[in-house]
Amino acid sequence: PFFMEGADFFRTRLSAVYTRVVRDPSWGVKLSGKNNGTTFGAWVAKDETTNLLLPGTQSSDGTTLDSDSTDAVVRYKRDLGNRLTLGALATDREGTDYYNRVLGVDGDIRISDKDRLGLQLLGSATQYPGSVATDFGLPEGELRDWAGEVGYERTSRHIDAWATYRRVGKDFRADLGFIPQVGYGFADAGAGYSWIPTPGA
């Protein structure tokens, strides 16, 4: 219940927040709410078990650190009129000789009653313990990279259309989220038409 209440506050196009990553919390503090078009959410938790997902271009690995970690997420969104929403997201995970920090912005633009444009851009900085870098063949030192996605949707009575582009850098990490693949670009587009019968048809 601690994580599920208000979970939609932290949901974005890229899965940068996935609370099941926090495996064994010993304590946590949370604040969330919405007022006059402003949405704010934040939580901090102490995790006694620090599981790591190590994503690659073709597959991912996993490991568990010997130390606990302190996990924190801050989310802010602001409605500017009824057509534009801007947001910011920051996550931080700190352990012994380890950290992962993600910072980004996003937007939702309602171009018309039928057309919508969404986008998100994230940057990350990650430092693994030396033993993890050695065991999994990772570069030593800090890893920095970015990930982004832009998507368009059109929804009407008969026609649905969409187009999406995503790019995730090979050194991007979101350790409080769920992004199991990095180092790729992806584009997708499609459309559908619905026939709605009239009485007697």
Side-chain angles (χ1 to χ4, degrees):
F2 176 84
F3 290 113
M4 293 306 297
E5 183 178 353
D8 57 315
F9 287 178
F10 305 95
R11 194 169 295 121
T12 60
R13 298 187 68 90
L14 296 164
S15 299
V17 178
Y18 183 61
T19 56
R20 293 189 69 179
V21 170
V22 185
R23 183 67 183 87
D24 186 19
S26 57
W27 59 263
V29 179
K30 184 178 182 180
L31 175 67
S32 62
K34 185 172 184 177
N35 185 44
N36 293 329
T38 298
T39 302
F40 178 82
W43 56 260
V44 180
K46 187 76 167 183
D47 194 0
E48 300 297 330
T49 302
T50 306
N51 290 332
L52 292 182
L53 176 68
L54 305 171
T57 56
Q58 301 297 324
S59 63
S60 56
D61 290 309
T63 189
T64 300
L65 299 184
D66 294 332
S67 65
D68 56 18
S69 62
T70 302
D71 307 333
V73 175
V74 177
R75 174 70 168 147
Y76 175 84
K77 287 197 300 182
R78 176 68 179 173
D79 296 331
L80 302 175
N82 60 359
R83 297 253 181 216
L84 175 63
T85 300
L86 297 177
L89 175 70
T91 73
D92 182 67
R93 198 180 196 199
E94 302 273 348
T96 303
D97 298 325
Y98 159 75
Y99 61 80
N100 172 249
R101 298 162 187 152
V102 176
L103 182 65
V105 294
D106 58 276
D108 183 22
I109 306 167
R110 291 165 287 283
I111 302 170
S112 70
D113 293 339
K114 300 176 182 178
D115 300 281
R116 194 168 197 158
L117 182 69
L119 54 92
Q120 184 174 19
L121 182 64
L122 298 171
S124 73
T126 308
Q127 175 77 57
Y128 292 119
S131 59
V132 172
T134 300
D135 291 345
F136 292 92
L138 299 171
E140 294 186 5
E142 187 180 65
L143 302 179
R144 288 179 174 266
D145 218 323
W146 66 276
E149 180 175 298
V150 58
Y152 164 79
E153 297 177 4
R154 179 176 177 82
T155 304
S156 65
R157 179 175 172 80
H158 294 286
I159 297 175
D160 296 304
W162 67 91
T164 302
Y165 177 74
R166 174 184 295 185
R167 190 268 185 188
V168 181
K170 68 180 181 64
D171 290 330
F172 179 81
R173 303 288 187 272
D175 289 354
L176 284 178
F178 184 71
I179 299 181
Q181 185 182 16
V182 294
Y184 74 97
F186 170 82
D188 176 55
Y193 187 90
S194 299
W195 284 267
I196 302 174
T198 58

